[in-house]
Amino acid sequence: MQTIRVKTTSAKYDVVTGSGLIGSLARRIERVQGRLPRRVFVVTSAPIWGLWGHCMQQSFSEPPIVMFLPPGEEHKTMKSVEGLLREMAQAGGDRGSLLIAFGGGIVGDVGGFVASIFMRGIPYIQVPTTLLAQVDSSVGGKTGVNLPEGKNLVGAFHQPLAVFADIGVLETLPERELRAGLMESVKAGIIRDRALVRYMEEHADDVLGRDPKSLEKVIAASIRMKADVVSRDERESGLRMILNFGHTVGHALEKATGYKTLLHGEAVGWGMVAALHLARERGTISRAQFERLERLIYLYGLLPMLKVRVPKVVGATEGDKKNVGGVTRFVLPLGIGDAGVVEDVTPAELEAAVGYMLARSTARR
Ligand SMILES: NC(=O)c1ccc[n+]([C@@H]2O[C@H](COP(=O)([O-])OP(=O)(O)OC[C@H]3O[C@@H](n4cnc5c(N)ncnc54)[C@H](O)[C@@H]3O)[C@@H](O)[C@H]2O)c1
Ligand SMILES: [Zn+2]
């Protein structure tokens, strides 16, 4: 078990990772909060609750009030938020209530957002059940939902009271989801943790075979990286931007393919390939480093073939929410384990990087 501290200007909390955490969740929350509040709400989705609900619930002497969000990005909406808020109001929720978000990134984002606005904000606990949610979305306090106009356009910064990332629940996670989530760990290594890059290179069989010790090592290192970055820059005014490595083109790919064919991590995997190409062309990484990092991405990511054309992807980068004032920001690795943000990427460079990525996606079949 490992405990990692997040210290932002608005909150300080622990992220705990290890095995057997959900079976002792109530006791762990009591340790953080002093005592359990009268009303504890759990936001989850039916498949997750079916697999792991019993294990979590038996740790509570008073059963929590369980609320369900149907799985799928299409339910990450204001309508779902209103439904959950009303359920809480009807069940007598008050400012002293606690919410537990028990699921993947979607449950975490929606549950966290509900907690940020119910009665102007109540405390909440993240219990992430996908690899992506454990290493990325549950840490850092970004919560929110989508609008028909775009992804994650509504939300709030609301830091959790604690995060419990139980490695045991990953046992039932589909292989494709596991590998997609690991793309965020590869990202963590490339931008800020050389040792993690090396560990992932040397232990791919153990990690992909879900050996608990190896998974814990990768998950804890990824969380440590994110915790450190958000502790220094909670609101993404500077350093936190490096977490978007692979995401400028990744988001564009998700958009250009209608959010249907690619998992987020898979889009980020391809986006990192494009960003690495740009970095190699600019010389912020060497040819050997480029080859090493590209190999690492393919080692973990079963990246699907991309059936989309260069102009569509390039066009989709322009609407990126992270762009301010029409400037396309790009995160480029500086060697291995460091990264910086550039704002002067030319259309020709972007086209070349996207062209390379699309060519790789067909060449690898
Ligand atoms: N807030 C942030 O900082 C942040 C960062 C990255 C991503 N996100 C958001 O996270 C979301 C994606 O999260 P995700 O990748 O976890 O997807 P997800 O929440 O859709 O979960 C993926 C699938 O796995 C299932 N599942 C979850 N845990 C399981 C388990 N233990 N065993 C078996 N099945 C399980 C879910 O029911 C779902 O079908 C996106 O909406 C994205 O915008 C947020
Ligand atoms: Zn991401």
Side-chain angles (χ1 to χ4, degrees):
M1 203 177 86
Q2 300 196 41
T3 301
I4 298 139
R5 188 90 172 142
V6 181
K7 270 192 205 168
T8 70
T9 36
S10 68
K12 295 180 180 49
Y13 57 95
D14 285 337
V15 183
V16 184
T17 184
S19 299
L21 301 177
I22 59 167
S24 51
L25 190 68
R27 184 167 48 79
R28 291 179 185 282
I29 296 174
E30 265 170 12
R31 231 183 271 158
V32 178
Q33 261 220 321
R35 63 180 176 81
L36 276 177
R38 213 149 50 93
R39 282 197 182 70
V40 178
F41 294 92
V42 176
V43 178
T44 187
S45 67
I48 298 159
W49 192 251
L51 289 166
W52 297 100
H54 176 74
C55 181
M56 181 212 263
Q57 195 160 21
Q58 55 79 34
S59 79
F60 289 84
S61 45
E62 283 271 317
I65 300 162
V66 184
M67 305 189 293
F68 294 99
L69 179 71
E73 191 74 39
E74 67 271 26
H75 297 288
K76 193 174 148 180
T77 58
M78 291 299 283
K79 189 160 172 243
S80 300
V81 168
E82 185 179 1
L84 294 168
L85 291 168
R86 292 187 61 192
E87 262 187 75
M88 290 169 73
Q90 284 159 17
D94 58 26
R95 296 187 77 171
S97 301
L98 175 75
L99 186 147
I100 300 171
F102 181 45
I106 295 183
V107 164
D109 279 11
V110 174
F113 186 48
V114 165
S116 79
I117 55 177
F118 185 70
M119 304 261 166
R120 299 202 176 80
I122 60 166
Y124 77 115
I125 305 269
Q126 289 277 19
V127 185
T129 63
T130 62
L131 192 106
L132 180 119
Q134 296 192 348
V135 301
D136 191 355
S137 61
S138 67
V139 180
K142 278 193 187 175
T143 73
V145 296
N146 306 326
L147 291 179
E149 287 73 15
K151 263 199 70 163
N152 297 326
L153 290 184
V154 179
F157 282 97
H158 189 48
Q159 300 291 345
L161 266 188
V163 182
F164 297 102
D166 189 334
I167 281 151
V169 301
L170 299 178
E171 218 176 89
T172 54
L173 191 67
E175 168 94 7
R176 190 178 168 200
E177 295 284 349
L178 181 83
R179 285 179 178 264
L182 283 164
M183 288 294 103
E184 300 282 3
S185 293
V186 168
K187 176 195 82 177
I190 294 176
I191 60 175
R192 223 165 148 82
D193 189 348
R194 254 181 107 80
L196 177 58
V197 167
R198 167 144 303 183
Y199 186 86
M200 289 187 81
E201 285 172 335
E202 289 172 355
H203 296 83
D205 288 346
D206 300 331
V207 175
L208 291 168
R210 307 183 198 211
D211 164 59
K213 279 220 159 59
S214 313
L215 272 181
E216 182 174 320
K217 182 115 184 156
V218 169
I219 291 168
S222 312
I223 294 172
R224 209 170 289 120
M225 187 289 298
K226 181 145 188 200
D228 178 50
V229 168
V230 302
S231 294
R232 290 164 196 264
D233 176 22
E234 182 177 18
R235 297 275 170 147
E236 200 168 325
S237 50
L239 180 69
R240 190 166 178 166
M241 283 175 204
I242 68 167
L243 300 177
N244 292 314
F245 172 58
H247 283 62
T248 307
V249 171
H251 285 149
L253 274 176
E254 288 183 284
K255 197 168 156 194
T257 53
Y259 299 97
K260 284 197 188 78
T261 47
L262 292 170
L263 296 180
H264 173 71
E266 293 167 345
V268 170
W270 279 127
M272 290 192 289
V273 170
L276 286 177
H277 179 274
L278 227 160
R280 185 192 68 185
E281 293 302 294
R282 286 198 170 199
T284 69
I285 55 174
S286 69
R287 184 164 286 272
Q289 287 170 330
F290 171 82
E291 281 165 13
R292 182 175 165 197
L293 296 177
E294 194 187 29
R295 208 175 311 122
L296 180 65
I297 293 168
Y298 301 145
L299 184 59
Y300 283 90
L302 281 182
L303 305 183
M305 185 159 65
L306 301 169
K307 293 190 184 119
V308 58
R309 295 162 72 90
V310 174
K312 194 157 182 199
V313 181
V314 170
T317 60
E318 278 151 23
D320 199 291
K321 176 163 58 91
K322 313 278 165 165
N323 297 333
V324 180
V327 176
T328 299
R329 292 219 168 90
F330 237 97
V331 182
L332 296 182
L334 307 169
I336 295 177
D338 194 10
V341 179
V342 294
E343 297 185 341
D344 59 350
V345 173
T346 65
E349 278 180 304
L350 183 56
E351 270 169 41
V354 170
Y356 174 80
M357 170 191 80
L358 294 180
R360 286 299 272 159
S361 113
T362 35
R364 291 186 68 243
R365 300 301 107 189

